[in-house]
Amino acid sequence: MALLETKNLGITFGGLRAVGEFEISIEKNELVGLIGPNGAGKTTIFNLLTGVYVPTEGDILLNGESIVGLKPYQIVKKGLTRTFQNIRLFKDMTVLDNVKIAFHHKMQYGVPNAIFRFPGTRFWKEEKEIDEKARELLALFKMEGSCNSLAKNLPYGEQRKLEIARGLAADPKLLLLDEPAAGMNPQETRELMENIHFIRNNFDVSILLIEHDMHLVMGICERIIVIDYGMVIAKGLPDEIKANKKVIGAYLGN
Amino acid sequence: MKKWQEYGTTLIGIILLYIFLIVLMAVGLVNGYHQGVLVLIGINVIAATSLNLATGYLGQLALGHAGFMAIGAYTAALFMQMIKVINLPVDIALVAALIVGGLMAAFFGVIIGIPALRLRGDYLGIVTLGFGEIIKNAIFNLDFTGGARGYRGYLGSINLTKMYIIVAIVLTVLFLLIRSRHGRAMISIKEDEIAAEAVGVPTTFYKIFGFATSAFFAGIAGGTLAFYQKMIDPKKFTFMYSVEIFIIVVLGGMGSITGTVVAAVILGVLNEFLHVIDQWRLVIYSILLVIMMIFRPEGLMGSKEFSFVGLVKWLLKKMNKSSVGDDKDSASLEVK
Ligand SMILES: Nc1ncnc2c1ncn2[C@@H]1O[C@H](COP(=O)(O)OP(=O)(O)OP(=O)(O)O)[C@@H](O)[C@H]1O
Ligand SMILES: [Mg+2]
């Protein structure tokens, strides 16, 4: 059974059909690219998968179970997290707290325990555990030095990295990255590619990635799906996509 | 410092501050009248810190705090009257009444929060504004509230000591709540609601929870006001009072509990001098607000906090500096 499977997925805004007949199937530990010209509907697909928009047609199955109609936070619990095209960090919180938030849904202690912090209660155990986990995760991304800085004070590339780390902290089975290299210089992009490789090798996670940087997409994705005007126009291996006439047409204009 | 040492330090700080107050009273620097002023400041501290929870931490604009205070005041008063027959010790009855008043306010918080908070944006501001006015008018026109003449019945009494204890408890609870996973969740909503939801925070739940908690403590503030004044004057709970509390929050710093305390004290003291020109009070507040917005838009303390722990660490550091070299043990304290 595929990790993620969509069937005839679509959404119409007013009269505009932003996405239609979208079918994708992602297996465990796959790295899939989603590309297409500006306004093709890529981010909209992410919004459908993560529950930000409710589809007007079709179904989304995560581990064989429909997640249509669930709230975004419930979908996170099921194992699907994302990053945003225009970075969305908790800017005035520390780097460490940004990561800790993502552990929220794994924690149990209630409000009474937050106020009555008797020794040996869940509060202490869980807070200690996530503090360690968050620091470990940041160390993996070589960010342990900026644990206590505010997220907004990080350099741009680091902010992108932090957002990915935060997404991973939620312990997803599938991670959606929306243009992670946008706004990065070549050096930062190279580091990002290394990091994505690193995530693949060290986390048990599949990745679906939107990207305009063709060098990056072709370099790391195992499979690529191309959409234009909300419809899939091509699917296949990077080399097949590069040679596909429809794809070239979509990017260059017919 | 270990966690329990930090908690201990804070507790000692709270007690020392109280002893300081007692000494001031004993030597006559704080007389009966001053004590009354301090109790009223304490009530504003509870009201404003609770509003700060909704506005400064959760990021929701709430403009009807006086309405929740009114609900707390009347509920606590009526409850006190009701349990009179069972003859509880007066302080236990008082605490019970305050909590019941707070719960009633929280209940109303949930009722208006559910429709208003499900929507994004500032709907809550408009709804709470209307809510405050409705409550005021309801009180004026209902029988059991005593209408415009005000409520006079059996009410417990609150003095400075009890007020100090109540304020200390409320502030402690707020701090502990904010510095837990629940507080982090609330702050993340203020920072970016969409991102919070996208990393697994049930935002609607926490918005309603935070708003109801804010209403709960507003209800407690209302109850203490009723018990202190031994009557309830419905004319107190106007929109202007909500605004006054809001101003305290903005002056002190959104997202700073201790900043709110400082602002409440400053405005409370300032108030004493402005009594003679009462009509001008809010004008002066507004001017203060404008000055603040120009020179320090984040409020007195921004989102920083004063802490006894920080103070002690700072003092230890100072002491170490003044005794460089002659004491290796105290130097290592700094490192730990
Ligand atoms: N909430 C919405 N209401 C109306 N139209 C929308 C909405 N969200 C997206 N669209 C439309 O859907 C289309 C696809 O937008 P989308 O953001 O998914 O494109 P994209 O492929 O991510 O483009 P880019 O590469 O520029 O990020 C656009 O025409 C956009 O205007
Ligand atoms: Mg996009």
Side-chain angles (χ1 to χ4, degrees):
Chain A
M1 182 177 51
L3 176 61
L4 176 86
E5 202 176 353
T6 66
K7 288 181 179 152
N8 192 34
L9 187 65
I11 186 165
T12 307
F13 296 113
L16 175 84
R17 195 180 191 203
V19 174
E21 298 165 32
F22 182 73
E23 308 229 331
I24 191 174
S25 166
I26 299 177
E27 301 294 330
K28 258 188 108 176
N29 286 320
E30 257 193 315
L31 207 173
V32 182
L34 179 62
I35 65 171
N38 285 116
K42 304 178 296 295
T43 300
T44 305
I45 290 171
F46 272 21
N47 285 334
L48 288 170
L49 295 178
T50 53
V52 174
Y53 296 152
V54 180
T56 47
E57 313 152 55
D59 203 358
I60 306 164
L61 304 176
L62 192 65
N63 273 320
E65 190 188 341
S66 175
I67 55 169
V68 169
L70 294 186
K71 292 266 180 59
Y73 79 91
Q74 292 170 316
I75 293 175
V76 174
K77 266 192 176 165
K78 301 255 177 213
L80 204 163
T81 52
R82 72 179 292 180
T83 65
F84 293 88
Q85 185 166 347
N86 42 351
I87 311 177
R88 281 181 177 272
L89 289 173
F90 306 119
K91 293 198 186 79
D92 282 311
M93 294 174 89
T94 62
V95 169
L96 189 65
D97 276 347
N98 264 272
V99 177
K100 280 186 178 178
I101 292 281
F103 289 107
H104 179 89
H105 70 108
K106 296 251 168 184
M107 299 170 86
Q108 305 265 318
Y109 74 83
V111 173
N113 199 177
I115 294 163
F116 301 103
R117 302 178 173 182
F118 297 117
T121 48
R122 261 210 180 119
F123 170 86
W124 296 106
K125 211 179 115 247
E126 291 185 355
E127 284 292 337
K128 182 161 174 267
E129 198 178 305
I130 67 151
D131 188 72
E132 284 164 3
K133 278 191 182 167
R135 284 173 196 279
E136 253 170 54
L137 189 67
L138 286 167
L140 283 181
F141 287 95
K142 302 190 179 64
M143 293 182 79
E144 66 270 40
S146 28
C147 274
N148 296 322
S149 353
L150 295 183
K152 67 176 175 194
N153 294 337
L154 290 180
Y156 184 81
E158 296 282 293
Q159 293 196 11
R160 285 261 176 219
K161 211 160 79 177
L162 175 59
E163 205 191 11
I164 297 174
R166 187 182 67 182
L168 282 170
D171 192 20
K173 298 189 198 88
L174 175 61
L175 179 63
L176 310 180
L177 302 178
D178 197 345
E179 299 196 24
M184 283 188 173
N185 60 35
Q187 166 65 23
E188 287 171 326
T189 307
R190 229 179 349 265
E191 273 171 35
L192 176 75
M193 281 175 77
E194 278 163 26
N195 278 321
I196 293 175
H197 268 301
F198 175 79
I199 292 166
R200 290 253 300 140
N201 298 335
N202 291 276
F203 293 82
D204 189 19
V205 67
S206 310
I207 294 174
L208 177 63
L209 173 122
I210 296 176
E211 193 43 73
H212 281 299
D213 185 326
M214 284 308 138
H215 175 68
L216 189 152
V217 176
M218 299 295 169
I220 62 175
C221 293
E222 290 145 8
R223 271 194 309 127
I224 291 171
I225 297 174
V226 191
I227 62 165
D228 194 15
Y229 296 109
M231 304 293 247
V232 176
I233 56 168
K235 286 184 181 187
L237 303 172
D239 286 333
E240 294 169 7
I241 298 296
K242 268 187 219 164
N244 189 303
K245 290 240 157 57
K246 271 196 203 160
V247 176
I248 296 166
Y251 271 93
L252 300 179
N254 292 313
Chain B
M1 262 200 257
K2 289 229 172 63
K3 265 286 173 238
W4 64 266
Q5 286 172 319
E6 291 188 12
Y7 294 160
T9 307
T10 306
L11 185 64
I12 291 169
I14 292 170
I15 293 169
L16 285 180
L17 194 60
Y18 177 66
I19 293 174
F20 177 64
L21 212 59
I22 297 279
V23 171
L24 286 186
M25 285 197 277
V27 299
L29 273 172
V30 170
N31 61 27
Y33 177 75
H34 295 148
Q35 289 179 33
V37 174
L38 286 175
V39 170
L40 288 174
I41 288 176
I43 290 165
N44 277 355
V45 164
I46 302 177
T49 45
S50 69
L51 178 63
N52 205 346
L53 181 69
T55 306
Y57 291 91
L58 196 58
Q60 308 297 317
L61 183 64
L63 298 171
H65 227 51
F68 291 118
M69 291 180 72
I71 291 172
Y74 282 94
T75 309
L78 292 169
F79 185 78
M80 202 69 176
Q81 189 73 42
M82 258 167 57
I83 60 168
K84 199 178 164 191
V85 286
I86 54 173
N87 253 327
L88 283 173
V90 65
D91 284 335
I92 294 183
L94 195 129
V95 169
L98 287 179
I99 290 175
V100 170
L103 287 176
M104 184 62 91
F107 173 72
F108 275 85
V110 172
I111 298 279
I112 67 165
I114 286 177
L117 288 164
R118 289 172 78 95
L119 306 165
R120 293 224 168 89
D122 287 336
Y123 293 94
L124 189 72
I126 296 156
V127 172
T128 47
L129 201 154
F131 162 79
E133 290 305 294
I134 291 169
I135 292 295
K136 197 186 70 195
N137 286 321
I139 289 169
F140 270 96
N141 291 302
L142 288 172
D143 277 339
F144 64 85
T145 60
R149 278 171 292 113
Y151 177 90
R152 272 160 229 278
Y154 170 69
L155 289 164
S157 73
I158 283 198
N159 56 24
L160 187 56
T161 298
K162 288 184 205 170
M163 194 65 221
Y164 189 84
I165 295 171
I166 295 170
V167 169
I169 293 174
V170 169
L171 295 190
T172 307
V173 168
L174 282 173
F175 263 118
L176 293 171
L177 186 64
I178 287 162
R179 295 180 178 177
S180 73
R181 77 183 183 111
H182 307 291
R184 268 199 304 271
M186 287 191 241
I187 299 169
S188 76
I189 293 171
K190 175 186 80 175
E191 292 285 308
D192 191 326
E193 195 173 336
I194 293 172
E197 182 94 12
V199 290
V201 175
T203 54
T204 305
F205 169 81
Y206 273 105
K207 281 199 285 182
I208 293 167
F209 168 75
F211 185 62
T213 308
S214 163
F216 174 80
F217 288 115
I220 296 224
T224 48
L225 183 64
F227 291 149
Y228 171 66
Q229 298 191 319
K230 299 208 174 57
M231 61 96 58
I232 308 173
D233 175 9
K235 289 187 281 297
K236 173 92 179 151
F237 303 107
T238 56
F239 174 61
M240 282 337 277
Y241 191 34
S242 295
V243 171
E244 215 176 305
I245 298 165
F246 199 86
I247 289 175
I248 294 175
V249 172
V250 175
L251 285 181
M254 299 243 187
S256 171
I257 298 282
T258 45
T260 305
V261 176
V262 172
V265 172
I266 291 176
L267 282 195
V269 172
L270 189 68
N271 232 345
E272 287 311 302
F273 297 103
L274 296 181
H275 257 321
V276 270
I277 42 166
D278 201 46
Q279 318 88 294
W280 291 93
R281 213 157 49 97
L282 280 163
V283 176
I284 291 170
Y285 280 11
S286 312
I287 293 171
L288 214 64
L289 210 56
V290 171
I291 294 172
M292 200 70 175
M293 286 304 112
I294 294 170
F295 294 104
R296 207 172 156 77
E298 73 274 30
L300 284 173
M301 311 253 299
S303 57
K304 294 197 176 58
E305 298 285 4
F306 164 83
S307 82
F308 288 115
V309 176
L311 184 69
V312 168
K313 282 184 182 161
W314 181 78
L315 285 174
L316 285 176
K317 226 180 189 169
K318 284 269 150 174
M319 274 155 56
N320 280 340
K321 278 216 184 101
S322 60
S323 60
V324 195
D326 61 58
D327 189 0
K328 272 182 187 141
D329 270 347
S330 65
S332 68
L333 261 177
E334 198 179 348
V335 182
K336 267 177 197 163

